[in-house]
Coordinates of all heavy atoms in Angstrom, one line a residue:
T1 N -7.7 -23.8 -20.6 CA -9.1 -23.5 -21.1 C -9.9 -22.8 -20.0 O -9.5 -22.8 -18.8 CB -9.8 -24.8 -21.5 OG1 -10.1 -25.6 -20.3 CG2 -9.1 -25.6 -22.5
A2 N -11.0 -22.3 -20.3 CA -11.8 -21.6 -19.4 C -12.3 -22.5 -18.3 O -12.5 -22.1 -17.1 CB -13.0 -20.9 -20.1
V3 N -12.6 -23.8 -18.6 CA -13.1 -24.7 -17.7 C -12.1 -25.0 -16.6 O -12.3 -25.1 -15.4 CB -13.6 -26.0 -18.4 CG1 -14.0 -27.1 -17.4 CG2 -14.8 -25.7 -19.3
Q4 N -10.8 -25.2 -17.1 CA -9.7 -25.5 -16.1 C -9.5 -24.3 -15.2 O -9.3 -24.5 -14.0 CB -8.5 -25.8 -16.9 CG -8.5 -27.2 -17.6 CD -7.3 -27.4 -18.5 OE1 -6.8 -26.4 -19.1 NE2 -6.9 -28.6 -18.6
R5 N -9.6 -23.1 -15.8 CA -9.4 -21.9 -14.9 C -10.5 -21.8 -13.9 O -10.2 -21.5 -12.7 CB -9.4 -20.7 -15.9 CG -8.4 -19.7 -15.5 CD -8.3 -18.5 -16.5 NE -9.3 -18.3 -17.5 CZ -9.1 -18.6 -18.8 NH1 -8.0 -19.1 -19.2 NH2 -10.1 -18.4 -19.6
Y6 N -11.7 -22.1 -14.3 CA -12.9 -22.0 -13.4 C -12.7 -23.1 -12.3 O -12.9 -22.8 -11.1 CB -14.2 -22.3 -14.1 CG -15.3 -22.4 -13.2 CD1 -15.9 -21.3 -12.7 CD2 -15.9 -23.7 -12.9 CE1 -17.0 -21.4 -11.8 CE2 -17.0 -23.8 -12.1 CZ -17.5 -22.6 -11.5 OH -18.6 -22.7 -10.6
N7 N -12.3 -24.3 -12.6 CA -12.1 -25.4 -11.6 C -11.0 -25.0 -10.7 O -11.1 -25.3 -9.5 CB -11.7 -26.7 -12.3 CG -13.0 -27.3 -13.0 OD1 -14.1 -27.0 -12.6 ND2 -12.7 -28.1 -14.0
R8 N -9.9 -24.4 -11.1 CA -8.8 -23.9 -10.2 C -9.3 -22.9 -9.3 O -9.0 -22.9 -8.1 CB -7.6 -23.4 -11.0 CG -6.6 -24.4 -11.5 CD -5.3 -23.8 -12.0 NE -5.5 -22.8 -13.0 CZ -5.5 -23.0 -14.3 NH1 -5.4 -24.2 -14.8 NH2 -5.7 -22.0 -15.1
Q9 N -10.1 -21.9 -9.8 CA -10.6 -20.9 -8.9 C -11.6 -21.4 -7.9 O -11.6 -21.0 -6.7 CB -11.4 -19.8 -9.8 CG -10.4 -18.9 -10.5 CD -11.2 -17.9 -11.4 OE1 -12.3 -18.3 -11.9 NE2 -10.6 -16.8 -11.6
L10 N -12.4 -22.4 -8.3 CA -13.3 -23.0 -7.4 C -12.6 -23.8 -6.3 O -13.0 -23.7 -5.1 CB -14.2 -24.0 -8.2 CG -15.4 -24.6 -7.4 CD1 -16.4 -23.5 -6.9 CD2 -16.2 -25.5 -8.4
R11 N -11.6 -24.5 -6.7 CA -10.8 -25.3 -5.7 C -10.1 -24.3 -4.7 O -10.1 -24.5 -3.5 CB -9.7 -26.1 -6.4 CG -9.0 -27.0 -5.4 CD -8.0 -28.0 -6.1 NE -7.4 -28.8 -5.2 CZ -6.3 -28.5 -4.5 NH1 -5.7 -27.4 -4.7 NH2 -5.7 -29.4 -3.7
R12 N -9.5 -23.2 -5.3 CA -8.8 -22.2 -4.4 C -9.8 -21.6 -3.5 O -9.5 -21.4 -2.3 CB -8.2 -21.2 -5.3 CG -7.4 -20.2 -4.4 CD -6.5 -19.3 -5.3 NE -5.9 -18.3 -4.5 CZ -4.9 -18.5 -3.6 NH1 -4.4 -19.8 -3.4 NH2 -4.4 -17.5 -2.9
S13 N -11.0 -21.3 -3.9 CA -12.0 -20.6 -3.0 C -12.4 -21.5 -1.9 O -12.9 -21.1 -0.8 CB -13.2 -20.1 -3.8 OG -14.0 -21.2 -4.3
S14 N -12.3 -22.8 -2.1 CA -12.6 -23.8 -1.0 C -11.5 -23.9 0.0 O -11.7 -24.3 1.1 CB -13.0 -25.1 -1.5 OG -11.8 -25.8 -2.0
L15 N -10.2 -23.5 -0.4 CA -9.1 -23.6 0.5 C -8.7 -22.3 1.2 O -8.1 -22.3 2.2 CB -7.9 -24.0 -0.3 CG -8.0 -25.4 -1.0 CD1 -6.7 -25.7 -1.8 CD2 -8.2 -26.5 0.0
V16 N -9.1 -21.2 0.6 CA -8.8 -19.8 1.2 C -10.2 -19.2 1.5 O -11.0 -18.9 0.6 CB -8.0 -19.0 0.2 CG1 -7.8 -17.6 0.8 CG2 -6.7 -19.7 -0.2
K17 N -10.4 -18.9 2.8 CA -11.6 -18.2 3.2 C -11.3 -16.9 4.0 O -10.3 -16.9 4.7 CB -12.4 -19.2 4.2 CG -12.8 -20.5 3.7 CD -13.9 -20.4 2.7 CE -14.3 -21.7 2.2 NZ -15.3 -21.7 1.2
T18 N -12.1 -15.9 3.7 CA -11.9 -14.7 4.4 C -13.3 -14.1 4.8 O -14.3 -14.5 4.3 CB -11.3 -13.6 3.5 OG1 -12.1 -13.4 2.4 CG2 -9.9 -14.0 3.1
Q19 N -13.2 -13.4 5.9 CA -14.5 -12.8 6.5 C -14.1 -11.5 7.1 O -13.1 -11.4 7.8 CB -15.1 -13.7 7.5 CG -16.4 -13.2 8.1 CD -16.9 -14.2 9.1 OE1 -16.2 -15.1 9.5 NE2 -18.1 -13.9 9.6
V20 N -14.9 -10.4 6.9 CA -14.8 -9.2 7.6 C -15.8 -9.1 8.7 O -17.0 -9.3 8.4 CB -14.9 -8.0 6.6 CG1 -14.9 -6.7 7.3 CG2 -13.8 -8.0 5.6
V21 N -15.4 -8.9 9.9 CA -16.2 -8.9 11.1 C -16.2 -7.5 11.7 O -15.1 -6.9 11.9 CB -15.8 -9.9 12.1 CG1 -16.7 -9.9 13.3 CG2 -15.7 -11.3 11.5
T22 N -17.4 -6.9 11.9 CA -17.5 -5.6 12.5 C -17.7 -5.8 14.0 O -18.6 -6.5 14.5 CB -18.6 -4.8 12.0 OG1 -18.4 -4.6 10.6 CG2 -18.7 -3.4 12.6
R23 N -16.8 -5.1 14.8 CA -16.9 -5.2 16.3 C -17.9 -4.2 16.9 O -18.3 -3.3 16.2 CB -15.5 -5.0 16.9 CG -14.4 -5.9 16.3 CD -14.6 -7.3 16.9 NE -13.7 -8.2 16.2 CZ -13.9 -9.5 16.1 NH1 -15.0 -10.1 16.7 NH2 -13.1 -10.3 15.5
E24 N -18.3 -4.4 18.1 CA -19.2 -3.5 18.8 C -18.7 -2.1 18.8 O -19.5 -1.2 18.8 CB -19.6 -4.0 20.2 CG -20.3 -5.3 20.2 CD -20.6 -5.8 21.6 OE1 -20.4 -5.1 22.6 OE2 -21.0 -7.0 21.7
N25 N -17.4 -1.9 18.9 CA -16.9 -0.6 19.0 C -16.7 0.1 17.7 O -16.1 1.2 17.6 CB -15.5 -0.6 19.8 CG -14.5 -1.4 19.0 OD1 -14.7 -1.9 18.0 ND2 -13.3 -1.4 19.6
G26 N -17.1 -0.6 16.6 CA -17.0 0.0 15.2 C -15.8 -0.4 14.5 O -15.7 -0.2 13.3
E27 N -14.8 -1.0 15.2 CA -13.6 -1.5 14.5 C -13.9 -2.8 13.8 O -15.0 -3.4 14.1 CB -12.5 -1.7 15.5 CG -11.9 -0.4 16.1 CD -10.8 -0.6 17.1 OE1 -10.5 -1.8 17.4 OE2 -10.2 0.4 17.5
C28 N -13.1 -3.2 12.9 CA -13.3 -4.4 12.1 C -12.1 -5.3 12.3 O -11.0 -4.9 12.6 CB -13.5 -4.0 10.7 SG -15.0 -3.1 10.4
S29 N -12.4 -6.5 11.9 CA -11.3 -7.6 11.8 C -11.4 -8.3 10.5 O -12.5 -8.5 10.0 CB -11.5 -8.6 12.9 OG -11.2 -8.1 14.2
A30 N -10.3 -8.6 9.9 CA -10.2 -9.5 8.8 C -9.8 -10.9 9.3 O -8.8 -11.0 9.9 CB -9.2 -9.0 7.8
V31 N -10.7 -11.8 9.2 CA -10.5 -13.2 9.6 C -10.2 -14.0 8.4 O -11.0 -14.1 7.5 CB -11.7 -13.8 10.4 CG1 -11.4 -15.2 10.9 CG2 -12.0 -12.9 11.6
M32 N -9.0 -14.6 8.3 CA -8.5 -15.2 7.1 C -8.0 -16.6 7.4 O -7.2 -16.8 8.3 CB -7.4 -14.3 6.5 CG -7.8 -12.9 6.3 SD -6.5 -11.7 6.0 CE -5.9 -11.5 7.7
T33 N -8.4 -17.6 6.6 CA -8.1 -19.0 6.9 C -7.5 -19.6 5.6 O -8.1 -19.4 4.5 CB -9.3 -19.7 7.4 OG1 -9.8 -19.1 8.5 CG2 -9.0 -21.2 7.7
L34 N -6.5 -20.4 5.8 CA -5.9 -21.2 4.7 C -6.1 -22.6 5.1 O -5.7 -23.0 6.2 CB -4.4 -20.9 4.5 CG -3.7 -21.8 3.5 CD1 -4.3 -21.6 2.1 CD2 -2.2 -21.5 3.5
N35 N -6.8 -23.4 4.3 CA -7.1 -24.8 4.5 C -6.3 -25.7 3.5 O -5.9 -25.2 2.5 CB -8.6 -25.1 4.3 CG -9.4 -24.3 5.3 OD1 -9.4 -24.5 6.5 ND2 -10.2 -23.4 4.7
D36 N -6.1 -26.9 3.9 CA -5.7 -27.9 2.9 C -6.9 -28.9 2.8 O -8.0 -28.6 3.3 CB -4.4 -28.6 3.3 CG -4.5 -29.4 4.6 OD1 -5.6 -29.6 5.1 OD2 -3.4 -29.9 5.1
E37 N -6.7 -30.0 2.2 CA -7.8 -31.0 1.9 C -8.3 -31.6 3.2 O -9.4 -32.1 3.3 CB -7.3 -32.1 1.0 CG -7.1 -31.7 -0.4 CD -5.8 -30.9 -0.7 OE1 -4.9 -31.0 0.2 OE2 -5.7 -30.2 -1.7
V38 N -7.5 -31.6 4.3 CA -7.9 -32.2 5.6 C -8.6 -31.2 6.5 O -9.5 -31.5 7.2 CB -6.6 -32.8 6.3 CG1 -7.0 -33.4 7.6 CG2 -6.0 -33.8 5.4
G39 N -8.1 -30.0 6.5 CA -8.7 -29.0 7.4 C -7.9 -27.7 7.5 O -7.0 -27.5 6.6
P40 N -8.1 -26.9 8.5 CA -7.4 -25.6 8.5 C -5.9 -25.7 8.8 O -5.5 -26.5 9.7 CB -8.0 -24.8 9.7 CG -9.1 -25.7 10.2 CD -9.0 -27.0 9.5
L41 N -5.1 -25.0 8.0 CA -3.6 -24.9 8.3 C -3.3 -23.7 9.2 O -2.4 -23.7 10.0 CB -2.9 -24.7 7.0 CG -2.8 -25.9 6.1 CD1 -2.2 -25.5 4.7 CD2 -2.1 -27.1 6.7
M42 N -4.0 -22.6 8.9 CA -3.8 -21.3 9.6 C -5.0 -20.5 9.6 O -5.7 -20.4 8.6 CB -2.6 -20.6 8.9 CG -2.4 -19.2 9.5 SD -1.1 -18.3 8.6 CE -1.9 -18.0 7.0
T43 N -5.3 -19.9 10.7 CA -6.3 -18.8 10.8 C -5.6 -17.6 11.4 O -5.0 -17.7 12.4 CB -7.5 -19.2 11.7 OG1 -8.1 -20.4 11.1 CG2 -8.5 -18.1 11.8
L44 N -5.8 -16.5 10.7 CA -5.2 -15.2 11.1 C -6.3 -14.2 11.2 O -7.1 -14.0 10.3 CB -4.2 -14.8 10.0 CG -3.4 -13.5 10.2 CD1 -2.6 -13.5 11.4 CD2 -2.6 -13.2 8.9
E45 N -6.3 -13.5 12.3 CA -7.2 -12.4 12.5 C -6.5 -11.1 12.8 O -5.7 -11.0 13.7 CB -8.2 -12.7 13.7 CG -9.2 -11.6 13.9 CD -10.2 -12.0 15.0 OE1 -10.2 -13.1 15.5 OE2 -11.1 -11.1 15.3
L46 N -6.7 -10.1 11.9 CA -6.1 -8.8 12.1 C -7.1 -7.7 12.3 O -8.1 -7.7 11.5 CB -5.3 -8.5 10.8 CG -4.1 -9.4 10.5 CD1 -3.5 -9.1 9.1 CD2 -3.1 -9.4 11.6
H47 N -6.9 -6.9 13.3 CA -7.9 -5.9 13.6 C -7.5 -4.6 12.9 O -6.3 -4.3 12.7 CB -7.9 -5.6 15.1 CG -8.3 -6.7 16.0 ND1 -9.6 -6.9 16.3 CD2 -7.7 -7.8 16.5 CE1 -9.8 -8.0 17.0 NE2 -8.6 -8.6 17.1
T48 N -8.5 -3.9 12.4 CA -8.3 -2.7 11.6 C -9.3 -1.6 12.1 O -10.3 -2.0 12.7 CB -8.5 -2.9 10.1 OG1 -9.9 -3.2 9.9 CG2 -7.6 -4.0 9.6
P49 N -9.0 -0.3 11.9 CA -9.9 0.7 12.4 C -11.2 0.8 11.6 O -12.2 1.4 12.1 CB -9.1 2.0 12.2 CG -8.0 1.7 11.3 CD -7.8 0.2 11.3
D50 N -11.3 0.2 10.4 CA -12.5 0.4 9.6 C -12.7 -0.8 8.6 O -11.7 -1.6 8.4 CB -12.5 1.7 8.9 CG -11.3 1.9 8.0 OD1 -10.9 1.0 7.3 OD2 -10.8 3.0 8.0
S51 N -13.8 -0.9 8.1 CA -14.1 -2.0 7.2 C -13.4 -1.9 5.9 O -13.1 -3.0 5.3 CB -15.6 -2.1 6.9 OG -16.1 -1.0 6.2
R52 N -13.1 -0.7 5.4 CA -12.3 -0.6 4.2 C -11.0 -1.3 4.3 O -10.6 -2.0 3.4 CB -12.1 0.9 3.9 CG -11.4 1.2 2.6 CD -11.4 2.7 2.4 NE -10.2 3.0 1.5 CZ -9.0 3.4 2.0 NH1 -8.8 3.5 3.3 NH2 -8.0 3.7 1.2
N53 N -10.2 -1.1 5.4 CA -8.9 -1.7 5.6 C -9.1 -3.2 5.8 O -8.3 -4.0 5.2 CB -8.2 -1.1 6.7 CG -7.6 0.3 6.4 OD1 -7.0 0.4 5.3 ND2 -7.8 1.2 7.2
A54 N -10.1 -3.6 6.5 CA -10.3 -5.1 6.7 C -10.6 -5.8 5.4 O -10.1 -6.9 5.1 CB -11.4 -5.3 7.7
T55 N -11.4 -5.1 4.6 CA -11.8 -5.7 3.3 C -10.6 -5.8 2.4 O -10.4 -6.8 1.7 CB -12.9 -4.9 2.6 OG1 -14.0 -4.8 3.5 CG2 -13.3 -5.4 1.3
R56 N -9.7 -4.8 2.4 CA -8.5 -4.8 1.6 C -7.6 -5.9 2.0 O -7.1 -6.7 1.2 CB -7.8 -3.4 1.7 CG -6.6 -3.3 0.9 CD -6.0 -1.9 0.9 NE -4.8 -1.9 0.1 CZ -3.6 -1.6 0.5 NH1 -3.5 -1.2 1.8 NH2 -2.6 -1.6 -0.3
L57 N -7.4 -6.1 3.4 CA -6.6 -7.2 3.9 C -7.1 -8.5 3.4 O -6.3 -9.4 3.0 CB -6.5 -7.1 5.4 CG -5.6 -6.0 6.0 CD1 -5.7 -6.0 7.5 CD2 -4.1 -6.2 5.6
A58 N -8.4 -8.7 3.6 CA -9.0 -10.0 3.2 C -8.8 -10.3 1.7 O -8.5 -11.4 1.3 CB -10.5 -10.0 3.5
R59 N -9.0 -9.3 0.9 CA -8.8 -9.4 -0.6 C -7.4 -9.8 -0.9 O -7.1 -10.7 -1.7 CB -9.3 -8.2 -1.3 CG -9.2 -8.2 -2.8 CD -9.7 -7.0 -3.5 NE -9.4 -5.7 -2.9 CZ -8.3 -5.0 -3.0 NH1 -7.3 -5.5 -3.7 NH2 -8.2 -3.9 -2.3
L60 N -6.4 -9.1 -0.3 CA -5.0 -9.4 -0.6 C -4.6 -10.8 -0.1 O -3.9 -11.5 -0.8 CB -4.2 -8.3 0.1 CG -4.3 -6.9 -0.5 CD1 -3.6 -5.9 0.3 CD2 -3.7 -6.9 -2.0
F61 N -5.2 -11.2 1.0 CA -4.9 -12.5 1.6 C -5.4 -13.6 0.6 O -4.7 -14.6 0.4 CB -5.5 -12.7 2.9 CG -5.2 -14.0 3.6 CD1 -4.0 -14.2 4.2 CD2 -6.1 -15.1 3.5 CE1 -3.7 -15.5 4.8 CE2 -5.9 -16.3 4.1 CZ -4.7 -16.5 4.7
E62 N -6.5 -13.4 0.0 CA -7.0 -14.3 -1.0 C -6.0 -14.6 -2.1 O -6.0 -15.7 -2.6 CB -8.4 -13.9 -1.6 CG -9.5 -13.9 -0.6 CD -10.8 -13.2 -1.1 OE1 -10.8 -12.7 -2.2 OE2 -11.7 -13.2 -0.3
N63 N -5.2 -13.6 -2.5 CA -4.2 -13.8 -3.5 C -2.9 -14.3 -3.0 O -2.1 -14.8 -3.8 CB -4.1 -12.5 -4.3 CG -5.3 -12.1 -5.0 OD1 -6.0 -13.0 -5.6 ND2 -5.6 -10.8 -5.1
K64 N -2.6 -14.1 -1.7 CA -1.3 -14.4 -1.2 C -1.3 -15.3 0.0 O -0.3 -15.4 0.7 CB -0.6 -13.1 -0.8 CG -0.5 -12.1 -1.9 CD 0.2 -10.8 -1.5 CE 0.4 -9.9 -2.6 NZ 1.2 -8.7 -2.2
A65 N -2.3 -16.1 0.2 CA -2.4 -16.9 1.4 C -1.2 -17.9 1.6 O -0.7 -18.0 2.7 CB -3.7 -17.7 1.4
E66 N -0.9 -18.5 0.5 CA 0.2 -19.5 0.6 C 1.6 -18.8 0.9 O 2.4 -19.3 1.7 CB 0.4 -20.3 -0.7 CG -0.8 -21.2 -1.0 CD -1.9 -20.5 -1.7 OE1 -1.9 -19.3 -1.9 OE2 -2.8 -21.2 -2.1
N67 N 1.8 -17.6 0.4 CA 3.0 -16.8 0.7 C 3.0 -16.4 2.1 O 4.1 -16.5 2.8 CB 3.1 -15.6 -0.2 CG 3.3 -16.0 -1.7 OD1 3.6 -17.1 -2.0 ND2 3.2 -15.0 -2.5
V68 N 1.9 -15.9 2.6 CA 1.8 -15.5 4.0 C 2.1 -16.7 5.0 O 2.9 -16.6 5.9 CB 0.4 -14.9 4.4 CG1 0.3 -14.7 5.9 CG2 0.2 -13.6 3.6
Y69 N 1.5 -17.8 4.7 CA 1.7 -19.0 5.5 C 3.2 -19.4 5.4 O 3.8 -19.7 6.5 CB 0.8 -20.2 5.0 CG 1.0 -21.5 5.6 CD1 0.5 -21.7 6.9 CD2 1.8 -22.5 5.1 CE1 0.7 -22.9 7.6 CE2 2.0 -23.7 5.7 CZ 1.4 -23.9 7.0 OH 1.6 -25.1 7.6
S70 N 3.8 -19.5 4.3 CA 5.2 -19.8 4.1 C 6.1 -18.9 4.9 O 7.1 -19.4 5.5 CB 5.6 -19.9 2.6 OG 4.9 -20.9 2.0
L71 N 5.9 -17.6 4.8 CA 6.7 -16.6 5.5 C 6.6 -16.8 7.0 O 7.6 -16.8 7.7 CB 6.3 -15.2 5.1 CG 6.7 -14.8 3.7 CD1 6.0 -13.5 3.3 CD2 8.2 -14.7 3.6
I72 N 5.4 -17.0 7.5 CA 5.3 -17.2 8.9 C 6.0 -18.5 9.4 O 6.7 -18.5 10.4 CB 3.8 -17.3 9.3 CG1 3.2 -15.9 9.2 CG2 3.6 -17.8 10.7 CD1 1.7 -15.8 9.3
M73 N 5.8 -19.6 8.6 CA 6.4 -20.9 9.0 C 8.0 -20.7 8.9 O 8.7 -21.2 9.8 CB 6.0 -22.0 8.1 CG 4.5 -22.4 8.3 SD 4.2 -23.0 9.9 CE 4.9 -24.6 9.8
M74 N 8.5 -20.1 7.9 CA 9.9 -19.9 7.8 C 10.5 -19.1 9.0 O 11.5 -19.4 9.6 CB 10.3 -19.3 6.5 CG 10.2 -20.2 5.3 SD 10.9 -19.5 3.7 CE 10.4 -17.9 3.7
E75 N 9.8 -18.0 9.3 CA 10.2 -17.2 10.4 C 10.2 -17.9 11.7 O 11.1 -17.9 12.5 CB 9.3 -15.9 10.5 CG 9.8 -14.9 11.5 CD 11.2 -14.3 11.2 OE1 11.6 -14.3 10.0 OE2 11.8 -13.9 12.2
L76 N 9.1 -18.6 12.0 CA 9.0 -19.4 13.3 C 10.1 -20.5 13.3 O 10.7 -20.7 14.4 CB 7.6 -19.9 13.4 CG 6.5 -18.9 13.7 CD1 5.2 -19.6 13.7 CD2 6.8 -18.1 15.0
L77 N 10.2 -21.2 12.3 CA 11.2 -22.3 12.3 C 12.6 -21.8 12.3 O 13.5 -22.5 12.9 CB 10.9 -23.3 11.1 CG 9.6 -24.0 11.1 CD1 9.4 -24.8 9.9 CD2 9.5 -24.9 12.4
D78 N 12.9 -20.7 11.7 CA 14.2 -20.1 11.7 C 14.6 -19.7 13.1 O 15.7 -19.9 13.6 CB 14.3 -18.9 10.7 CG 15.7 -18.3 10.6 OD1 16.6 -19.1 10.4 OD2 15.8 -17.1 10.8
E79 N 13.6 -19.1 13.8 CA 13.9 -18.7 15.2 C 14.2 -19.9 16.1 O 15.0 -19.8 16.9 CB 12.6 -17.9 15.8 CG 12.4 -16.6 15.2 CD 13.5 -15.6 15.6 OE1 13.9 -15.6 16.8 OE2 13.9 -14.8 14.8
E80 N 13.5 -21.0 15.8 CA 13.7 -22.2 16.6 C 15.2 -22.7 16.4 O 15.8 -23.1 17.4 CB 12.7 -23.3 16.2 CG 12.8 -24.5 17.0 CD 11.8 -25.6 16.6 OE1 12.0 -26.1 15.5 OE2 10.8 -25.7 17.3
S81 N 15.7 -22.7 15.2 CA 17.0 -23.2 15.0 C 18.1 -22.3 15.6 O 19.2 -22.7 15.8 CB 17.2 -23.3 13.4 OG 17.2 -22.1 12.8
E82 N 17.8 -21.0 15.8 CA 18.8 -20.1 16.4 C 18.9 -20.2 17.9 O 19.8 -19.7 18.5 CB 18.4 -18.6 16.0 CG 18.5 -18.3 14.6 CD 18.1 -16.9 14.2 OE1 17.7 -16.2 15.1 OE2 18.1 -16.6 13.0
E83 N 17.9 -20.8 18.5 CA 17.9 -20.9 20.0 C 18.8 -22.0 20.5 O 19.2 -23.0 19.9 CB 16.5 -21.2 20.5 CG 15.6 -20.0 20.3 CD 14.2 -20.2 20.8 OE1 13.9 -21.3 21.3 OE2 13.4 -19.3 20.7

């Protein structure tokens, strides 16, 4: 139902946070955080040459935060097992 969809979106928006920050030199950063019920799981900051790209990264992260987190964790843990 529409109420359930709204509640899911509301919960997700409390777990995934993004912010576009403009630096003094005119470059921008997309600061993206994935939280769980306890606190932050991951904060990722990516620098871009302009706000258009930073905004795009932030928007895409909002839809793929869990996938990004999983890929990073798998890659890091896989490297550990190879050593």
Side-chain angles (χ1 to χ4, degrees):
T1 69
V3 172
Q4 289 171 327
R5 224 176 8 258
Y6 174 77
N7 286 337
R8 275 194 307 271
Q9 287 176 328
L10 189 60
R11 183 173 186 276
R12 180 165 177 76
S13 70
S14 71
L15 299 177
V16 179
K17 300 288 185 186
T18 62
Q19 179 182 12
V20 173
V21 178
T22 303
R23 304 289 171 202
E24 291 179 13
N25 64 0
E27 293 182 351
C28 292
S29 292
V31 181
M32 303 163 285
T33 303
L34 175 63
N35 299 293
D36 64 8
E37 290 77 16
V38 178
L41 291 173
M42 173 182 72
T43 300
L44 177 64
E45 181 173 358
L46 297 174
H47 296 270
T48 65
D50 55 46
S51 64
R52 183 176 153 265
N53 285 314
T55 301
R56 182 170 179 244
L57 287 174
R59 181 175 37 83
L60 292 169
F61 182 82
E62 289 171 358
N63 294 323
K64 300 182 179 187
E66 294 86 353
N67 293 349
V68 171
Y69 177 77
S70 293
L71 288 168
I72 290 171
M73 292 299 287
M74 284 189 320
E75 185 64 27
L76 291 174
L77 295 173
D78 185 50
E79 288 292 320
E80 184 180 72
S81 66
E82 293 176 3
E83 292 179 0

